[in-house]
Amino acid sequence: MVALTKLDDLYRQVILDHSAHPRQFRKQIEETDSLEMLNPTCGDVITVHIRAKENRIEDISFSGEGCTISKASASMMCELLKGEDVTLAKEKIKSFFELVQGHDVGIDLADAELLQGVSKFPTRIKCATLSWKVLETLLERLEENE
């Protein structure tokens, strides 16, 4: 029982670190596209910026305001998907949506796997998935424009 408490504390610390020191948190990159979305239930606003070339996400960043979960999730997503093949990125996005619904996924999502715990708090799922939905839409637009 004590070990589980320590594990929960470790997970919590990683999430808090991503929120307090978000990776790829910047507004300006030489971008291919960007998109802002709002979570109307809590007011979180996240903009994702991507630069993509030849079916690869060359660079990704985010900006905006949000709660600890939404900022940590955006940070984890950017860290995970920078430099990723677009097709594999789309698979990881889909897997992340399953993960936060409480399902086990058979793909490595790095630190983002620590957000599986939000499945116990349905209102937080929208916070965790906001940036991922923005990126999913950006990748769909990218495919439509090619």
Side-chain angles (χ1 to χ4, degrees), residues 10-64:
L10 173 64
Y11 290 167
R12 195 172 302 124
Q13 287 303 315
V14 172
I15 291 169
L16 290 173
D17 182 60
H18 271 278
S19 178
H21 310 287
R23 286 62 155 178
Q24 303 299 322
F25 184 74
R26 53 190 158 91
K27 290 182 179 180
Q28 301 296 325
I29 61 173
E30 185 181 325
E31 62 188 31
T32 304
D33 202 358
S34 65
L35 179 66
E36 177 183 280
M37 280 191 185
L38 165 73
N39 179 351
T41 58
C42 65
D44 291 353
V45 178
I46 298 287
T47 302
V48 175
H49 313 267
I50 63 167
R51 186 178 69 232
K53 187 176 180 183
E54 298 177 1
N55 203 39
R56 180 162 307 280
I57 299 172
E58 290 185 332
D59 199 3
I60 183 170
S61 67
F62 76 102
S63 57

Side-chain angles (χ1 to χ4, degrees), residues 95-103 105 109 112-113 115-116 119:
S95 293
F96 181 76
F97 293 154
E98 292 178 21
L99 179 87
V100 295
Q101 294 291 329
H103 303 289
V105 295
L109 297 175
E113 292 177 10
L115 292 169
Q116 187 173 26
S119 65

